[in-house]
Amino acid sequence: MGLVLYVGSWNILFLKDLIIGPIVLLIIFLWAYGFRNKNYKKFTYAKYFIPALTVRIVGAILTALMYQYYYHSGDTMAYWYCVKGAWEHQFLYPNALINILFKPYSSYSEETYYLTGYIIEYNAFFRDPSTLIVIRIALFLSYLCYNSYIGVSFLFSVFAFLGCWRLFLVFRELNPKYEKEVAISTLFVPSVFFWGTGVMKDSICIGALGFLTHAVYMLFIKRKFSLSAIFMIIFSTYTLASIKTYIILSFLPPLSLWVILKYWSLIKNIKLKIIAGPIFLFFGIIMSFFMLIKLNSGTQKYTIDSLMSKSKSTQEWLTLVSEAQDGSGYDLGVSEIGSTGDFITVFGKAVNVTLFRPYFWEVRKPILVPAAFESLFCLLLSVYIIFKVGISKIIKSIIKNPDLLFCLLFSILFAFSVGFSTYNFGTLVRYKIPCLPFYFLFILILYKENVKPKNVKPKNVK
């Protein structure tokens, strides 16, 4: 009965969070200072480690307050009530705890079915494998934080931060001259360190994406064999595929092409490079299409036909809801794709809505105002760089630099997938965060490579 009352009160923050939260925070920062000093103290980029972690922790606090006092609901609350239910009944139903942690929903014992069914509103979260993973991780971490939401939220946020830090290390090593720009792109994008926190799928996915990129870079591009890199590739790929399949489907083709083109760029002999170029490109395209074909055959949920059907029904439903409740839905204006022209139109609109919307006149809720500012900044920065650099230089840079191509391809593929299927700005601002570091990496490195600073004397001029 107590659990039902908790659900009705819509609280995730309690008095114990004021006690346990600071303790967890103290431990995290003591570890962080020690970890930084041990691994990065001699490098200039060590200065970003603590500030980047700090903004992530601030984001975790703000999102917790937002869900409790502004939304009064949300996925993070659903996850936490599932965790609370298991925690509070662990001695009454000890077998249920083992079932939740280690077994699929279809194999639960009778008492576990009873317990998960007792959490009436969120029984579906136990049935869905992608949400069950989040519950399991949060439940395991709750034993380290005495079932404190804010404590577990901090730990989720640390994982997300470490993944973004690994992404920073990769592109900082590839672009040492643009250290500040790489740090801004990977560590300090507001919506990423705000929405990529807390007990959510997004925290796990943004972290796993960074760990996967770093592990692939170390193993295949730097060719430094290690069991930890292999483990991280398997772990991150499995995590992303299990929680948000569309992320890994959008990411693997550009990642594979990136690795292949990096090998091609290492060839010094010009003639051999010219001969090998088409071969490398051919195999890269084949691998990419082989992975993309999973969209139409790997799982029924992510086939093109099912995505179209789901998109159409979602669009119609959210349009009605938005009109009735003055909500934050959006409409791409296309109910079906009947030709190549239709696809190009939808593709462009979906990418635009992900990267550059909501516009200010589309904002209906205060919580979307920061997203509108960020989208406007992204749009203005993109337009400025296009005019400053020029289309021909942009194309040449993309062809010449596999890193830019990788970042752009993933950004565009991912932006299309979420923009095409979400149809709600409130959800979109959270769903789109995996592609933002890569898009900002693309535009800022592109700019720095092509625009020379004024009034800078050559080194040989005294």
Side-chain angles (χ1 to χ4, degrees), residues 166 208 211-220 223-239:
R166 292 296 181 97
F211 278 109
L212 176 59
T213 306
H214 182 267
V216 168
Y217 173 73
M218 295 300 293
L219 192 62
F220 294 106
R223 288 171 288 180
K224 290 186 176 181
F225 178 83
S226 69
L227 292 177
S228 61
I230 295 173
F231 168 79
M232 195 53 66
I233 289 173
I234 296 171
F235 167 78
S236 299
T237 303
Y238 172 80
T239 300

Side-chain angles (χ1 to χ4, degrees), residues 299-318:
T299 172
Q300 184 62 31
K301 184 178 179 181
Y302 292 100
T303 62
I304 296 298
D305 290 339
S306 67
L307 284 174
M308 280 300 303
S309 177
K310 179 182 177 182
S311 174
K312 184 176 180 179
S313 61
T314 302
Q315 176 182 352
E316 293 171 350
W317 181 78
L318 284 174

